[in-house]
Amino acid sequence: MLLLAFTLGWLSLLFALARLADSRPSWQRLSEHPLVYAMSLGVYASSWTFFGAVGFARTQGVSFIAVSLGPTLACLLIPAVFLPLLRLVRRHQLATTADLFAFRYRSQALGVAVTVAMLLGVLPYLAVQVRAVATTAVALVPGLDPHVVGFSFCAVMLVFATLFGARHATTRERHPGLVMAIAFESAFKTLALLAVGVVAFQLDVTPTPARVEAFLEPARTGGFTSVLLLSVGATFLLPRQFHMAFTEAPEGERGERALRRATWAFPLLLLVMNLPIPLVLWAGEALAPQADGDLYVLLVAEKVPWLAPVVWLGGVSASSAMVIVASLALSSMSLTHLVLPWRRADDPDVYGTLVRQRRVVVGLLLLATFVVFLALDHTGGAQARGGALAQVGLVSFAAVLQLVPGLVGVLFLPRLSSAGVLAGLVAGLVTWGLLLALPVIGLSGVALPGWLTGHDALGVSALVSLTLNVLAALVGSSLAPSSAVELRAAQLCRDEVDSLSPGRLPASLEGFVDRVARVLGRAAARVEVERVTTELQLSRDETGAAALQRVAERLEANLTGLLGPVLSHAALTTEGDEVPGQLVPLATRLQLLEEEARRGGSAAAEALRAWLSNVFASLPVGVCVVSPQGDAVWWNDAWTTLAGAPKPEALRQLPSVGELVVGARTLSVTSAEVTGEGPLPGGRVLVVEDLTTRRALERTMAHQERLASIGRLGAGVAHEIGNPLAGLLMVAQNLAAEEHPVDLRERLGDIVEQGRRIDDIVKALVTFARGEQQGGRQPRLVFLDAVVRDAVSLVSMTKHRRIEAQLEEGLAVQGVAGELIQVLVNLLSNAVAASPADSVVTVTARRLASEVELVVSDQGEGMSAEVQARLFEPFFTTKDPGQGTGLGMSIVYSLVTAHHGHLAVDSAPGQGTRITLRFPAP
Amino acid sequence: MARSWLTFGFGVLLLASPLRLVWARPGAWAGAVFVAWAGLVVAGLWLSKERRG
């Protein structure tokens, strides 16, 4: 009971510290200190290091050091691998390794696979933390039931995990309190271990040479190297390490600084933590040769009355920190990749649901941890072989190792595909399960033959699983290569690495000016580079790679605000290639030039002046600046073209506002006062604009409008004529049917025939007008014979030429009847107008394989090549002024195109014209 | 970046093989490993300054 109260008190202290860091800005700043960050990475040292390192050293000898030397090696890779990774996960808000893989390989399945792999790999590791707490509690207070202790620990962890981290919906939320608490417990457990080391030192035990010999054995047989390499992989890829190193890293530049500082600070922390281990081992072996090595730390601590509870708390801190961070990280993964894909989209309280689900997932994880703890206890498993904590830990590392090929793909191999990585992960995991996981939890797995493993079964098994993983990844990637989407994501990831590559940076500051000049121009480039060198307090002839790298980073940051990230990155990293000019906003360039000119840059001022005068020269209106005395002082080319060279007397005659006719041109004139600026006096600016085209356009519009109103009138009249005409025809037909003399019957027949002709014309007019009035195009099946008949009737009204129609029966196209009639009316009108009085205009239509062909041909004057070239231009006409608008053929062209058809012209002067239209068959 | 990879490679070589020769002599190992470790911490310090002027 006392132990429980003591433990709860300690955890509450940690929690109070966390609350303080969450709420007080000054504490929050402290949590972002690089050293606090490095200390928080000490969550790596779980109870495995705290209690287990000595037990591991007892059974595996010198290999215990490899577990902490691995992170030291991994930290050497921070600048090359983990800084780019930090930027990547920051930029794309990736909270876990599963997010990272799903993002890079664009595969939800891979996210699920990574989550499952991490759950399988880390759950037993969590369970041994619980067991470490239970075993040490029983050692301290004999008679306690380890299962009750284990369950209580899991329950307390659930409460604290919820309080610490599972309070937010998003996994990207930083928890300064958590970072502070973890850093504090890291410091505490290090001090506790050092204290035990001091006690062990005072016991003054010297190991026998035979013991030392046995201790060194793993270094000779290879066990040391495999543990070393396993822990390199685990340093940043274990879920809890990834969480502390990347998800909880301070924002922005501070995060990168902290990670860089960890390159040495984290290894130093581990070094200090490991210094007492050999001393404690020798002392423990002398004190209790038969006891479990995992309990030696506690055993030695008991030599000093107050130290044992402190060491117990150190162990509880190590375990609880690991359990809390790992369960937060695993819950993020599980929530994102296993739970959320099945969420309901219509949830009104998304954030609340997410927080609740997160808590449920943490609860389930801890429950599963407890179940695995019971299972481990039941089967005996690793316990039988001693060094239990380390055994399970290393198997866990081997599971995490399976992520390494995928991580290499994220940063360095864009060609590695999602299918390949998934295949590799599955192959590696299955091998891992059979060779490593099953034996360690006490079930019979598959054992490799003895000649293969030698003394280092674990290392060789891990290597075999990794080799199969890599092979499957390579084969899978070549059989199922990356999709375009995947390659784009891969490129995004590659860019983070490239941005750090000094090989792609120029050799001097002048080189930066050259590169930036491609985007900003030389003057502005020089200003930007100089600003950065001043900010960084560098000399102008700096050539050191490190300094240039810093210049590149600062320049990229400065330019990003100006040009956006893509362009600023391209400007600094690509060499030689011209940066596409259209990417640089003109406004940005102008703004830069103006700033530069304002600061007195003559080159910038000249560039601005040249640009402005170019703008004036290109104006489509004539501009002339007149001095107060009436002299023209400046004018553009358009002025000379429109109004001739500006002479003072001509300028004086110009109205200040109005219209003016010069030759065939109509010009509008406007003017405005110009105020004086500095040494330059004011004056007047005159603007002339050519109205000729506009006036012609207005006339054509008016003509069109007149024609349209006549059309509407015609349609109205036709409609009104229709009814009396039907009556007349009926009377005439009835009369014609009666008995009459031959002469009278013939005349009645003529009346009926002419009446029907009028009826045809009236109907065609109505159809045509209806098409125009309906406006909206509703394509339907249109029979060509009706279209041709209506068009011929309309054209025959105005000019009497013979129009012969030869149509195959039943031809139809998909379209709008009114528009098709208009096409034919326009074509026939032109044909008729161009034909001599006695000639024949023919319309033929036939079906081709998948098209319907309509041909209008005449025997008229034909067209020259020049006329044909401009045939479809709006307002182009060969008719006399007032006779045609020049719009007919352009309307034909646009209507035929709107019907998905195409048209061909075959004509020569004196040879007649043949216009062929083809429409898709319905 | 190349500097970082080189140091890493050197670290692996240093820790994985030649040290075994030192370990063959009883008693010398602990000192040698911890000295090598301290050496790597210094290498880390050097690397962390790589990108500063």
Side-chain angles (χ1 to χ4, degrees), chain A residues 85 88-89 94-115 117-118 237 242 333 337 400-411 416-418 420-422 424-425 469 486 489-490 493:
Chain A
L85 196 62
L88 184 67
V89 302
L94 310 170
T96 61
T97 39
D99 290 358
L100 177 70
F101 277 51
F103 169 79
R104 153 63 177 85
Y105 297 102
R106 291 287 186 252
S107 160
Q108 186 63 48
L110 202 52
V112 173
V114 172
T115 307
M118 291 301 100
L237 289 179
F242 191 91
M333 266 189 211
H337 298 277
V400 172
L401 194 68
Q402 307 306 327
L403 299 186
V404 170
L407 181 73
V408 173
V410 168
L411 293 172
L416 216 55
S417 73
S418 63
V421 173
L422 188 61
L425 193 58
N469 183 337
E486 226 180 282
C493 299

Side-chain angles (χ1 to χ4, degrees), chain A residues 2-18:
Chain A
L2 191 68
L3 195 67
L4 183 67
F6 194 45
T7 312
L8 279 179
W10 170 249
L11 287 173
S12 304
L13 181 73
L14 281 182
F15 181 66
L17 186 73

Side-chain angles (χ1 to χ4, degrees), chain A residues 288-304:
Chain A
Q290 303 306 319
D292 181 356
D294 284 350
L295 293 177
Y296 278 178
V297 174
L298 210 54
L299 209 66
V300 174
E302 278 174 345
K303 291 279 145 199
V304 179

Side-chain angles (χ1 to χ4, degrees), chain A residues 554-580:
Chain A
R554 184 64 70 96
L555 254 182
E556 187 175 340
N558 288 359
L559 293 182
T560 298
L562 209 59
L563 305 167
V566 176
L567 197 63
S568 66
H569 186 67
L572 287 165
T573 52
T574 49
E575 196 176 9
D577 318 332
E578 187 58 38
V579 175

